[in-house]
Amino acid sequence: MKKIELVVLKLRDFKGIKSLDIQLDGGNAQIFGDNEVGKTTTFDAFLWLLFDKDSNNKKDFAIKTLNGDGSERHNLEHTVEGTFLVDGTAITLKKIYKEKWTKKRGQAIAEFTGHEVEHFVDDVPLSKKAYTAKVNEIVEEETFKLLTSPTYFNEQMKWQEKRQLLLEICGDISDEEVIASNTSLAKLNDLLNGKSLEDMKKIIASKKKHINDELEKIPVRIDEINKMMPETAVDVEKMRTQVAQIEKDIEELQEQKIRVKNGASVLDKQRQLQELEMKRSDLKRTFEADSIQEVYKAQTKLQEVQGNIQIINSKLQQADNNRKFKVDEANQIQNNIGCLTKEMDELREKFYVVDKEQFHFEDNCNECPTCKQSLPDEQVKAARDEAQAQFNERRTMRLADIQREGGTRKEQVEQLNDRLTTLRNEHDAAVEEMNKYQDDLSVQDKELMKAQKALETANSTVKDVTTTNEYKSINLQIEALQAEIKQLNEHAYEAVAGIDEEIVKLNYERKECNNAIAQHANIEASKERIIELEDQQIKLAQEYEKLEQTTFLIEEFIRTKVNMLTDRINSKFKYARFKLFDTQVNGGLNEVCETTYKGVPYGTGLNNAAKINVGLDIINTLSAHFGIQAPIFVDNAEAVTKFIDVDTQLISLVVSEKDKQLRVEVEGQQPILKEAI
């Protein structure tokens, strides 16, 4: 069993409390104080130190101290420090919440740019990630809140989470155990067919909704069908006989109409007209055949010459671009040669200056700089010889360096001159290539003029067939035949118009008969549809009844399992009891998780004292389950005259009107006044 005890809790400028130290030394304590003195703030500070949240599980609560007008007081460090004993080993956690002030470039005054939090473990600064990991090594957040607040389980957890936690504590009951305990559930396994209860409940709910929707729609559909059916009956056979006769009459009138429109004289005239039109087309095709071929040849030649000119122009442009590239590169090389030549001249001048340098030796340097006595002549001569040798060596090295640099630049100039010679040759080759393309272009320009002239000549030789006497004669014959056909058709129009009127009347009569036949077919189809809907209604009702039976078995299973679970869960607690389902008006079950004490629901009728003691009872069981004992903070503890026994550190926050500053009473110690400044 891991044991966590709070030794001391220190607050500095936290939620309006300037300075507060609470020395508990791991013992049970009562913290007395009037409203707004800072009792709950101590619990908020305790939880913020560990998990960045207050006692209401909020992360964005106000930490900073406020001025009298409600504005925030700046440049304060809001600090909470707590020392704990974890299985007898001390560990100190500290967090500092402070403002960030940044001086931007060019500004003399720093600006407020936000907040930051510093984290410490045993005075060692850590990152937020490392600090959180250290806290989690002590205890996980959700578990710690469950073990430190009597109200957290009942007032801040969702009922699904509470139910899941209770099942973890007592252990779940297998479906086989539940079914074995109640013989009426024997059929349930077959009905589930390998599916889970939750999945089957969803399937049943979906099917029942679908069936109900369909059952609601069926009477409406039947009523709509009845309203749409006509009341009058139709003699279908008589209507069909009448339609057959009408269609026969229409067919005869159509044949009569064709005979009138296509009289023998009209057909003969139309045949003659087709022959003349074919003769005119043949004449035009034969007349133009020879001369048009010459036009096609001239057009082909013109297109060929235009293509050649385009190709030569492209090559000429490419050669010119190549020439320009050579010119640009040659100009750049000339510039580089000029720069290198200038550098070589400077190096020659430098070589001349260095070569002319002479060695100078001061004759007054023949005394000791320390004792000021004259040095021996041989020592002075040796020093002069050494200095002159060093001078000559340095000058020789400098001259060699200058010669080496000059040689390097000379080699570069020679390489550039070689490249320049190559570029000039390539430039001349490009110019020669351009001249060749210019000559080719001149030749093709002449060919273009010849091709254009040939096309003009070919077009001028094409004769217009419409100007010939033969073509004109055929046109006159065609026009005469067209006039004759038009006159014959006009006489036939009157007869055809009368036949069309008769056909229109018969078509209307046939439509009326067909409508009557279709109406009869719709009536029969509607009657069959009503029978189908009534059969569907019966089948849906039967299917719904089967689903209801399966639902009853599932609910009976849940009821049995919940009763078994309830007994098992309640056996883990001394005072708290749990209601795990509600019986609905229709007899069904609704899963819940509600804490009760002596039959009174926690959320609707339980007083504060009972709520706190029930919460402590739950913490006792949870501590045993998780194997952790942690300090318990009891807010509004004045409501409880006697706490149930707990095996861990208990810190009670008691409202006391007479205590205008916090008063801490630790078991076995003298009361201490702790002013929350």
Side-chain angles (χ1 to χ4, degrees):
M1 174 77 72
K2 179 186 283 189
K3 188 171 185 178
I4 304 170
E5 299 172 283
L6 179 60
V7 178
V8 62
L9 185 66
K10 299 179 181 180
L11 283 69
R12 299 291 185 269
D13 292 308
F14 186 85
K15 289 187 67 176
I17 295 179
K18 183 172 182 59
S19 178
L20 176 64
D21 293 354
I22 303 175
Q23 190 72 36
L24 301 172
D25 296 324
N28 294 339
Q30 291 181 302
I31 301 176
F32 298 90
D34 196 3
N35 291 327
E36 299 183 358
V37 172
K39 300 182 302 300
T40 304
T41 298
T42 61
F43 191 25
D44 291 339
F46 175 75
L47 291 175
W48 180 76
L49 175 64
L50 295 167
F51 307 117
D52 287 338
K53 297 177 183 176
D54 66 1
S55 55
N56 291 316
N57 206 33
K58 292 182 179 179
K59 197 164 186 175
D60 56 350
F61 68 101
I63 293 177
K64 300 176 71 172
T65 300
L66 303 179
N67 296 311
D69 60 357
S71 62
E72 294 181 349
R73 189 175 300 173
H74 296 294
N75 297 308
L76 294 179
E77 292 189 350
H78 313 279
T79 306
V80 177
E81 179 179 331
T83 300
F84 300 83
L85 283 178
V86 181
D87 289 337
T89 301
I91 182 172
T92 299
L93 306 176
K94 183 168 72 172
K95 286 170 63 175
I96 302 175
Y97 181 85
K98 63 182 184 180
E99 298 175 339
K100 291 172 62 178
W101 293 81
T102 305
K103 184 183 292 185
K104 296 182 179 178
R105 181 180 294 178
Q107 293 184 351
I109 301 175
E111 294 182 355
F112 172 64
T113 57
H115 299 89
E116 61 182 349
V117 180
E118 295 179 350
H119 304 78
F120 302 85
V121 175
D122 293 332
D123 293 327
V124 178
L126 296 179
S127 66
K128 175 178 173 59
K129 183 177 179 181
Y131 182 88
T132 302
K134 193 68 177 178
V135 172
N136 283 334
E137 288 178 8
I138 301 173
V139 64
E140 188 270 330
E141 178 179 353
E142 193 70 15
T143 302
F144 196 78
K145 291 176 181 177
L146 282 167
L147 300 180
T148 56
S149 172
T151 60
Y152 187 81
F153 177 88
N154 289 306
E155 296 180 11
Q156 296 194 30
M157 289 185 73
K158 297 179 181 179
W159 72 265
Q160 296 92 338
E161 296 171 345
K162 293 189 289 185
R163 194 172 189 279
Q164 181 61 35
L165 180 57
L166 292 173
L167 290 175
E168 290 177 7
I169 293 173
C170 71
D172 202 356
I173 299 173
S174 68
D175 294 349
E176 290 75 14
E177 291 178 89
V178 178
I179 294 173
S181 69
N182 189 338
T183 56
S184 63
L185 300 175
K187 296 181 180 179
L188 188 59
N189 275 331
D190 294 335
L191 293 173
L192 291 176
N193 194 23
K195 296 181 178 65
S196 67
L197 282 173
E198 288 301 318
D199 288 343
M200 182 55 72
K201 285 168 67 177
K202 292 177 183 177
I203 292 171
I204 290 173
S206 175
K207 287 183 177 181
K208 286 170 71 174
K209 182 180 183 305
H210 175 72
I211 290 172
N212 278 328
D213 291 343
E214 292 300 315
L215 287 173
E216 289 177 4
K217 294 176 183 177
I218 287 174
V220 178
R221 291 173 180 170
I222 292 175
D223 183 59
E224 290 176 350
I225 292 171
N226 283 325
K227 288 179 179 178
M228 292 176 63
M229 284 195 300
E231 298 179 358
T232 56
V234 176
D235 188 344
V236 178
E237 291 303 323
K238 181 179 179 181
M239 290 293 106
R240 288 173 178 165
T241 302
Q242 189 172 346
V243 167
Q245 183 60 46
I246 290 172
E247 289 178 345
K248 184 178 179 181
D249 294 343
I250 290 174
E251 186 178 352
E252 291 180 356
L253 287 171
Q254 291 286 8
E255 292 177 356
Q256 183 180 351
K257 179 179 174 181
I258 292 172
R259 287 194 299 271
V260 172
K261 289 180 68 176
N262 297 331
S265 57
V266 173
L267 290 175
D268 183 55
K269 299 293 183 183
Q270 288 177 340
R271 188 167 49 254
Q272 294 178 30
L273 179 62
Q274 290 176 354
E275 292 175 354
L276 285 172
E277 288 175 343
M278 290 176 62
K279 184 177 180 181
R280 182 175 61 183
S281 297
D282 291 341
L283 176 63
K284 183 176 181 181
R285 185 168 51 253
T286 302
F287 190 82
E288 295 177 349
D290 296 334
S291 57
I292 204 70
Q293 288 299 323
E294 293 299 323
V295 173
Y296 292 155
K297 290 179 182 179
Q299 288 176 340
T300 302
K301 180 61 177 177
L302 178 62
Q303 291 171 355
E304 179 184 348
V305 174
Q306 289 172 337
N308 291 338
I309 291 174
Q310 186 176 2
I311 291 171
I312 294 171
N313 277 325
S314 176
K315 291 181 178 179
L316 179 62
Q317 183 63 45
Q318 186 176 358
D320 189 39
N321 290 339
N322 186 32
R323 180 191 63 79
K324 290 178 181 177
F325 291 152
K326 304 301 179 184
V327 171
D328 291 343
E329 187 178 354
N331 290 336
Q332 183 61 44
I333 289 174
Q334 290 283 14
N335 292 336
N336 293 341
I337 291 173
C339 293
L340 290 171
T341 301
K342 183 178 179 182
E343 291 176 4
M344 290 169 64
D345 292 340
E346 291 172 352
L347 287 171
R348 291 190 188 96
E349 182 65 26
K350 185 176 180 181
F351 184 89
Y352 176 78
V353 172
V354 173
D355 188 51
K356 294 298 182 182
E357 289 179 354
Q358 297 293 326
F359 173 73
H360 297 284
F361 186 80
E362 298 293 337
D363 292 335
N364 58 357
C365 297
N366 56 358
E367 66 178 20
C368 177
T370 303
C371 63
K372 304 300 182 179
Q373 293 181 359
S374 298
L375 295 173
D377 292 340
E378 62 272 12
Q379 188 173 349
V380 172
K381 183 177 183 303
R384 181 185 296 108
D385 292 342
E386 176 66 22
Q388 184 170 6
Q390 290 179 358
F391 170 80
N392 291 335
E393 183 179 358
R394 285 196 300 271
R395 186 180 64 176
T396 301
M397 291 176 63
R398 290 168 62 194
L399 290 172
D401 289 340
I402 294 171
Q403 285 180 326
R404 185 168 52 256
E405 289 183 22
T408 299
R409 283 161 176 73
K410 181 179 179 181
E411 289 177 2
Q412 292 175 345
V413 169
E414 290 174 353
Q415 291 174 358
L416 291 175
N417 279 323
D418 290 343
R419 177 58 184 161
L420 191 60
T421 300
T422 301
L423 287 173
R424 286 168 180 165
N425 292 335
E426 292 176 351
H427 174 271
D428 293 342
V431 170
E432 187 175 341
E433 186 179 10
M434 289 176 60
N435 292 334
K436 175 182 175 301
Y437 290 142
Q438 289 285 5
D439 294 340
D440 293 344
L441 196 60
S442 298
V443 173
Q444 292 299 322
D445 285 340
K446 294 177 181 179
E447 290 295 323
L448 179 64
M449 294 177 62
K450 289 171 60 178
Q452 290 172 339
K453 186 173 181 180
L455 180 60
E456 292 175 2
T457 303
N459 282 324
S460 64
T461 58
V462 177
K463 297 180 180 179
D464 186 3
V465 70
T466 59
T467 60
T468 63
N469 293 331
E470 186 177 1
Y471 188 89
K472 292 178 180 178
S473 174
I474 294 173
N475 263 353
L476 290 174
Q477 295 178 56
I478 288 173
E479 291 172 0
L481 280 172
Q482 288 173 340
E484 292 178 12
I485 291 171
K486 180 180 178 182
Q487 187 177 11
L488 290 172
N489 284 333
E490 288 175 354
H491 288 300
Y493 176 77
E494 296 177 0
V496 170
I499 295 172
D500 285 339
E501 288 180 4
E502 291 295 325
I503 292 174
V504 170
K505 291 178 182 179
L506 291 173
N507 278 329
Y508 179 77
E509 292 177 9
R510 181 174 60 181
K511 181 179 178 181
E512 291 294 318
C513 292
N514 284 331
N515 288 340
I517 294 171
Q519 189 180 67
H520 174 76
N522 288 338
I523 292 172
E524 294 301 316
S526 297
K527 290 178 180 178
E528 292 178 3
R529 179 58 179 155
I530 289 173
I531 294 172
E532 290 176 1
L533 289 172
E534 290 172 344
D535 290 342
Q536 184 182 358
Q537 193 174 33
I538 294 170
K539 291 177 181 178
L540 288 172
Q542 292 172 347
E543 186 177 350
Y544 192 88
E545 181 64 25
K546 291 180 181 178
L547 293 174
E548 284 285 275
Q549 293 173 5
T550 305
T551 301
F552 174 79
L553 282 177
I554 291 174
E555 290 175 349
E556 182 65 20
F557 173 89
I558 295 173
R559 187 182 293 107
T560 302
K561 184 172 183 177
V562 168
N563 287 334
M564 296 172 69
L565 283 172
T566 301
D567 293 341
R568 183 179 292 186
I569 290 170
N570 288 337
S571 68
K572 299 284 185 178
F573 298 86
K574 189 173 181 180
Y575 302 100
R577 296 292 180 266
F578 298 94
K579 181 180 180 182
L580 300 180
F581 70 93
D582 270 336
T583 303
Q584 297 174 316
V585 177
N586 61 1
L589 292 177
N590 186 29
E591 291 184 2
V592 296
C593 184
E594 184 177 19
T595 307
T596 66
Y597 175 64
K598 294 182 179 180
V600 180
Y602 182 95
T604 56
L606 214 57
N607 60 39
N608 286 339
K611 287 182 177 179
I612 291 171
N613 275 325
V614 165
L616 293 175
D617 182 39
I618 293 172
I619 288 176
N620 280 338
T621 301
L622 293 177
S623 291
H625 172 67
F626 291 115
I628 300 172
Q629 290 181 344
I632 302 174
F633 279 78
V634 181
D635 205 357
N636 299 314
E638 71 279 354
V640 185
T641 58
K642 181 176 175 54
F643 292 107
I644 68 169
D645 293 334
V646 292
D647 299 327
T648 186
Q649 184 180 17
L650 187 65
I651 302 169
S652 304
L653 307 177
V654 183
V655 174
S656 174
E657 185 178 358
K658 67 179 181 179
D659 291 296
K660 302 306 180 183
Q661 62 187 55
L662 293 182
R663 176 168 55 90
V664 181
E665 291 185 4
V666 182
E667 287 184 1
Q669 298 180 6
Q670 291 295 321
I672 302 172
L673 291 177
K674 297 289 184 178
E675 183 175 1
I677 301 173

